[in-house]
Amino acid sequence: MTCTSKHSRSGFAMMMVLAAVAIAAVLSFALLAGATLQTRTRGNASRSVSAEYLAESGLNLAMYYLQNPNSAPSLNASNYWAGTSSPVTIGNGTVSVTVTRDAAAGNNWTYEITSTATVGSSGDTQMIRTAYARAYVKNEYRVNYTSGFNASATIQPYTVITGDVICNGTFKLSNSTSTVSGAVYAPTIQLGVGATSPSGGRKDIPTAAVGAPTTTDVNKYQTYTSGGVTYNAGTQAAGTLTGSAGVTTLGSSGSNPAGVWYCSGNLTLGDNVKIDGTLVVAGNLTVAGANIIVTPKSNYPGVVVIGNLQVNQTQKSMTVNGICFVGGQLKSSGVFVTLATCSSLTVNGGLLIGGSSPISSSYNPITNVTLNSTMNKAPELSTAGRTPIGIQVLRWGPVVPVPY
Amino acid sequence: VKPTIAAKKRGLTLVELVLGLVVVSMVAGATGAMMTAVGAGWAHGNQVEVSTSVSTQAMVRIQKILRAAKQIGVCRTGGISGSPSQSAAVLIWKGDINGDGHIQVSELALIEHQSSANPASAQLVCWELVFPSTWTTAQKQAQDLTLADDAIYSDAEIDSFKATTNVRAAGIVTCVTAAEFHRIDSSGTVRPALEYALKFNKDGVVIVKYGRTTSRTPAALPASQS
């Protein structure tokens, strides 16, 4: 039996149709594949850029929290933000940040920051970018209180403090002549007979606030840097220093532009000593004269005494137009006779006492301490208790090894 | 009426055949033209896509180098059009790698435009010091001289740096047929920046891109530049 011509023509048509459909399918698939690839390329490019900038945002976030630790969601034991505990979602991506203090830098303010950003869902469309930076947090010591004590302190009679006080122990006002016109940041306050409460009341000590530097942390200014140049302090021999009325006893010079004077032992100041600069005494300082005036240069303290500061009675007087730091105790010698003949200590800037017994119970000179916003600046007074004031980016990018 | 066998076997007349061929050829021609146009559009789209991708990546690479720079030094402007007398180039202190606060030769990089008649060969290159792997530390230190703080602001330093032994150029982006650089820095500028315009020619598709990148880690200008 043979096939008819009619049957042959029908099969041919079917093959032609199938061939046409196959060609159309291949073409469609090719077009679709191309379009898909282009879409993915564009998406990858977009996600890549997003990831780059998201990673940079992580660096900026870390630098913000390093400058403003009080704004950070959490701080580690070393009081800085160590990074995200888990990836943070921003927009359509996430970012993980790690902050590490570089102990090898020789200071506590240099950090390595790593920020890894992920944009897109997992799989071959996900983009991951990592950014690196090394940052130095600029910092300074700020005197935010008129008086600061590291231990319980009793303010003796005829002592007037104008401004806030911080005390890391019980703070006591002995009687009606010892007053504080400001707030007292202390765990507890005690009032002696007739004493009135501080006008600003008692407040809790803010986180990380310190009363005063310790003698270990305080800067003795034996060398100091001014205008990028390092200078040595002048040397003042131990013993007694006296002055003449109207004459500067110790001042500044080209080799000592800040007028810093360092005494390695005990020093006694006699009448009319006038210091246009900073006096640093490694031992005890005794005020045994009248009309003593210390006026430091801007951004330097007036007096730094590692030991005790003693004011003798009677009719002795010292004015410090800047910060007065005492590492030991504020004390006096001699008896109070009358107000008219009583010795006096005036501090226009801030009085910081770091010792464990800040004020002697027999201290009796007339004492006035006033916070002065222009005279209380000593950014290098202490290596501890410092406040971040800015960021300097030391490196932007991964660590580049030294070529040799 | 049942058709006769003769009628069933009758073919097309010549006129019918010619008309049919004409219609088929017209349809085929139109389809072909449309397919050609679609194909050309597709190819052009691909070229634009590739050019855009190339130019975007180029900008990213330049940004990475400039963001990490400590100082942006002397700059030759070049030109995005015409025939500039000098190719665009900028000398940068790419980072204080050893942390000494001074510029060593190994810390320099020179981004320079190299033109060519063939767009595919026109490129931006980055000149850097590459020590031979066989060199000892002493040999490397001997060559890695410390420059004066303001040396990178001297135009002569560009040619001097290129002529330094072991300083080599590596391409960072191709198909750049023209480039123009402008340095933005002064004593009052907090963050120095480089403004740049790059003309790309990738497979005949010309794209001009503009950018401005600021240094993230600027070092203070030397006194002579303040």
Side-chain angles (χ1 to χ4, degrees):
Chain A
M1 186 178 172
T2 57
C3 294
T4 63
S5 60
K6 183 180 178 184
H7 288 157
S8 297
R9 283 198 298 273
S10 299
F12 181 76
M14 189 173 203
M15 286 175 66
M16 290 295 288
V17 168
L18 284 174
V21 168
I23 291 170
V26 169
L27 280 174
S28 301
F29 181 76
L31 286 171
L32 194 62
T36 304
L37 188 62
Q38 270 200 353
T39 303
R40 181 170 292 181
T41 303
R42 289 195 191 110
N44 284 350
S46 170
R47 281 187 290 274
S48 171
V49 174
S50 295
E52 291 271 358
Y53 284 102
L54 195 55
E56 285 204 7
S57 294
L59 297 183
N60 289 325
L61 183 70
M63 288 191 276
Y64 175 78
Y65 285 147
L66 288 174
Q67 282 185 89
N68 302 282
N70 292 334
S71 302
S74 63
L75 299 177
N76 64 7
S78 300
N79 274 326
Y80 69 88
W81 186 65
T84 54
S85 54
S86 58
V88 175
T89 301
I90 302 175
N92 62 345
T94 62
V95 62
S96 297
V97 183
T98 304
V99 182
T100 310
R101 179 179 284 167
D102 183 2
N107 59 56
N108 283 331
W109 298 94
T110 302
Y111 299 87
E112 288 286 345
I113 309 168
T114 303
S115 171
T116 301
T118 305
V119 176
S121 55
S122 38
D124 56 358
T125 60
Q126 191 174 60
M127 284 289 162
I128 300 175
R129 292 289 182 271
T130 301
Y132 306 86
R134 180 180 175 84
Y136 172 74
V137 180
K138 297 177 185 174
N139 57 89
E140 68 176 25
Y141 186 85
R142 282 187 181 160
V143 178
N144 296 318
Y145 307 92
T146 308
S147 294
F149 309 104
N150 280 347
S152 297
T154 299
I155 303 303
Q156 300 301 328
Y158 300 107
T159 296
V160 175
I161 300 175
T162 306
D164 296 342
V165 175
I166 183 169
C167 178
N168 293 325
T170 301
F171 182 80
K172 183 177 179 181
L173 292 169
S174 59
N175 67 15
S176 61
T177 62
S178 51
T179 61
V180 173
S181 56
V184 172
Y185 295 82
T188 54
I189 288 184
Q190 292 181 357
L191 299 178
V193 177
T196 55
S197 294
S199 61
R202 189 201 71 82
K203 294 182 179 176
D204 291 332
I205 296 175
T207 304
V210 295
T214 65
T215 52
T216 305
D217 297 329
V218 76
N219 190 349
K220 281 105 181 160
Y221 292 92
Q222 286 175 278
T223 61
Y224 62 93
T225 302
S226 177
V229 180
T230 300
Y231 299 94
N232 293 319
T235 300
Q236 169 58 45
T240 301
L241 177 67
T242 55
S244 302
V247 178
T248 299
T249 314
L250 299 174
S252 58
S253 64
S255 60
N256 184 13
V260 178
W261 294 90
Y262 180 81
C263 174
S264 60
N266 298 327
L267 184 65
T268 298
L269 300 181
D271 290 342
N272 298 314
V273 170
K274 183 171 182 282
I275 300 173
D276 288 340
T278 298
L279 178 63
V280 181
V281 181
N284 299 319
L285 177 65
T286 301
V287 176
N291 196 29
I292 299 167
I293 300 173
V294 181
T295 305
K297 302 294 184 188
S298 180
N299 288 327
Y300 289 85
V303 172
V304 175
V305 183
I306 304 304
N308 300 323
L309 173 58
Q310 176 176 302
V311 182
N312 292 347
Q313 292 283 14
T314 57
Q315 294 185 316
K316 309 297 185 285
S317 64
M318 180 167 83
T319 298
V320 180
N321 293 315
I323 293 167
C324 179
F325 169 82
V326 179
Q329 188 180 56
L330 182 62
K331 56 196 292 191
S332 62
S333 175
V335 295
F336 176 93
V337 181
T338 64
L339 269 178
T341 61
C342 186
S343 295
S344 68
L345 173 65
T346 302
V347 180
N348 298 314
L351 176 63
L352 308 175
I353 305 181
S356 57
S357 176
I359 303 175
S360 166
S361 58
S362 60
Y363 181 75
N364 53 20
I366 297 169
T367 303
N368 284 285
V369 185
T370 306
L371 184 68
N372 185 305
S373 60
T374 59
M375 296 180 184
N376 70 341
K377 301 281 191 298
E380 301 300 324
L381 182 64
S382 172
T383 55
R386 296 169 77 100
T387 303
I389 57 170
I391 281 274
Q392 180 184 4
V393 182
L394 302 176
R395 189 192 68 246
W396 191 271
V399 175
V400 179
V402 178
Y404 44 82
Chain B
V1 178
K2 198 173 182 180
T4 63
I5 293 172
K8 278 184 184 173
K9 288 185 176 176
R10 185 177 66 84
L12 300 171
T13 65
L14 181 62
V15 173
E16 288 171 334
L17 193 60
V18 168
L19 278 174
L21 284 173
V22 167
V23 169
V24 167
S25 61
M26 285 176 66
V27 170
T31 306
M34 192 186 75
M35 293 298 286
T36 304
V38 168
W42 189 266
H44 184 70
N46 273 343
Q47 287 173 344
V48 171
E49 190 79 28
V50 170
S51 299
T52 304
S53 182
V54 166
S55 59
T56 302
Q57 286 303 313
M59 303 297 268
V60 169
R61 287 184 180 183
I62 294 168
Q63 285 171 359
K64 277 201 168 183
I65 295 171
L66 291 172
R67 280 179 188 162
K70 298 289 286 182
Q71 283 177 343
I72 298 173
V74 63
C75 177
R76 288 177 179 168
T77 304
I80 199 71
S81 59
S83 302
S85 58
Q86 286 182 312
S87 294
V90 61
L91 188 62
I92 61 172
W93 181 16
K94 61 184 178 182
D96 190 11
I97 296 169
N98 62 358
D100 68 344
H102 298 287
I103 306 171
Q104 276 78 40
V105 179
S106 65
E107 295 173 347
L108 288 181
L110 173 70
I111 299 175
E112 184 187 43
H113 176 240
Q114 292 184 340
S115 58
S116 170
N118 177 11
S121 300
Q123 59 179 346
L124 278 185
V125 296
C126 184
W127 294 81
E128 289 178 298
L129 176 62
V130 181
F131 292 114
S133 58
T134 55
W135 272 26
T136 63
T137 298
Q139 285 176 303
K140 293 175 183 175
Q141 285 177 327
Q143 191 189 356
D144 199 13
L145 301 175
T146 298
L147 305 177
D149 288 345
D150 57 357
I152 64 169
Y153 298 95
S154 163
D155 187 78
E157 188 64 27
I158 288 181
D159 297 319
S160 170
F161 178 63
K162 286 166 63 177
T164 303
T165 307
N166 295 319
V167 170
R168 298 169 192 165
I172 51 176
V173 55
T174 57
C175 303
V176 180
T177 54
E180 187 169 326
F181 295 159
H182 293 278
R183 170 176 169 260
I184 311 296
D185 198 2
S186 69
S187 57
T189 303
V190 176
R191 285 186 170 182
L194 187 76
E195 288 186 343
Y196 43 93
L198 304 177
K199 182 185 281 185
F200 297 87
N201 185 341
K202 174 72 175 169
D203 300 330
V205 177
V206 177
I207 294 176
V208 178
K209 285 212 169 182
Y210 300 88
R212 175 188 172 112
T213 303
T214 55
S215 166
R216 301 291 200 267
T217 64
L221 278 172
S224 63
Q225 301 297 311
S226 298

